[in-house]
Amino acid sequence: MTHARHILIGDVHGCLTELQALIDRIAPQPEDIFIFLGDLIDKGPESPGVVRWVRHFAEVHQVVLIEGNHEEKHRRWRHHMRQGSPIANTMTGIERMAALTQALNADDIAFLETGQLYYCMPQYQALAVHAGVPPAIESLPADPREIAAYPRKRRDVYMQMLRIRFVSPEGKLRHLGDETEDDRYWATFYDGRLGTVYFGHQVFMTHAPVAFAHAVGLDLGAVHGGFLAAAILSDDGVTYILEPARQVYA
Ligand SMILES: [Mn+2]
């Protein structure tokens, strides 16, 4: 049996030119499934353009959007705005979030909000997620939408898949910049129980995807002048395509 190619794409962050060039090099075929690992938006030059381009691309190709922490924050802000909640005014980056919302139409926003927490690829024993897998997660429901119905505390554990980086010896997540010498990056001790994890979020300014024992980091810092990376999973194995950034945007 042959399986469709599954193409995983790291954090785009508004790098539309690089995304178009990368997709050209991938040469999409009708049965391909494209999985964006989150953070289409922010930091880079063309966030609204990327959202719209991917939305149109999704009209002719199979596309799965993983929600990144940037999309999640914009979504929370829009929610608070709609509710008229004062929390909306306490968030950082209000101008940026308002500008993006202003530049997008209702279809673009609806498309962004299709972002899901993860995507399982049992045929490749692989999992796509934005940031990673917290140590407390032993298994995942087949449908990530089930998690929204979990009680708050349990749900919060799963929501860590959006932002996890370093973990303390007690299993607590560290914020960026707060990590100590005893903390470990999640992928360095992830045991593969949910398959090989393809993830973005953590910028690696390297010339190849970063391979851990059971995880592969695909955010090679396109927006920082690195590469926009894609992993192509097929029955022939995994191949990578790296599209160099045209400039340092952030
Ligand atoms: Mn990112």
Side-chain angles (χ1 to χ4, degrees):
M1 196 172 105
T2 59
H3 298 110
R5 293 200 302 177
H6 282 55
I7 295 145
L8 304 126
I9 298 172
D11 300 31
V12 179
H13 282 305
C15 295
L16 181 58
T17 303
E18 290 78 2
L19 175 60
Q20 291 168 333
L22 180 75
I23 298 284
D24 274 350
R25 289 173 60 197
I26 291 166
Q29 298 160 16
E31 60 279 5
D32 288 343
I33 299 176
F34 290 83
I35 299 133
F36 288 86
L37 293 176
D39 286 3
L40 292 181
I41 58 170
D42 287 347
K43 297 184 183 177
E46 295 179 77
S47 290
V50 166
V51 175
R52 188 151 308 150
W53 192 88
V54 176
R55 175 166 72 80
H56 288 306
F57 186 74
E59 289 168 1
V60 283
H61 293 281
Q62 299 180 73
V63 168
V64 175
L65 269 191
I66 304 291
E67 184 170 69
N69 54 302
H70 283 263
E71 283 90 19
E72 193 263 350
K73 187 177 176 190
H74 283 250
R75 181 167 59 80
R76 262 190 294 130
W77 180 76
R78 288 191 301 267
H79 173 77
H80 293 312
M81 287 296 286
R82 278 197 300 270
Q83 305 279 312
S85 163
I87 296 170
N89 302 318
T90 67
M91 295 176 74
T92 55
I94 291 169
E95 281 175 25
R96 177 171 46 84
M97 295 190 284
L100 181 71
T101 299
Q102 201 51 238
L104 296 176
N105 63 36
D107 288 341
D108 298 329
I109 289 176
F111 175 69
L112 262 191
E113 297 198 351
T114 65
Q116 55 191 67
L117 193 54
Y118 55 86
Y119 181 73
C120 300
M121 296 164 283
Q123 61 278 62
Y124 295 114
Q125 295 177 356
L127 173 73
V129 60
H130 179 58
V133 175
I137 295 181
E138 294 289 337
S139 64
L140 293 170
D143 184 346
R145 287 171 300 186
E146 283 181 32
I147 286 164
Y150 287 179
R152 175 70 187 266
K153 253 190 136 168
R154 181 149 175 245
R155 192 176 70 228
D156 284 350
V157 173
Y158 286 84
M159 292 303 285
Q160 292 175 350
M161 297 174 88
L162 280 171
R163 355 187 99 75
I164 190 169
R165 295 181 201 269
F166 284 83
V167 181
S168 77
E170 303 80 41
K172 285 217 164 61
L173 262 62
R174 294 288 192 206
H175 292 293
L176 190 59
D178 288 350
E179 57 276 356
T180 72
E181 277 184 13
D182 295 330
D183 299 339
R184 293 181 298 164
Y185 187 67
W186 74 271
T188 61
F189 63 97
Y190 168 67
D191 60 6
R193 63 193 177 278
L194 303 175
T196 301
V197 175
Y198 290 85
F199 67 97
H201 189 57
Q202 180 75 18
V203 178
F204 298 107
M205 294 302 286
T206 50
H207 285 68
V210 176
F212 298 87
H214 304 282
V216 180
L218 285 173
D219 183 356
L220 304 190
V223 77
H224 305 296
F227 297 89
L228 185 62
I232 303 177
L233 278 52
S234 77
D235 290 331
D236 300 328
V238 186
T239 55
Y240 299 107
I241 299 186
L242 270 57
E243 182 63 30
R246 301 300 185 268
Q247 61 181 87
V248 177
Y249 302 101

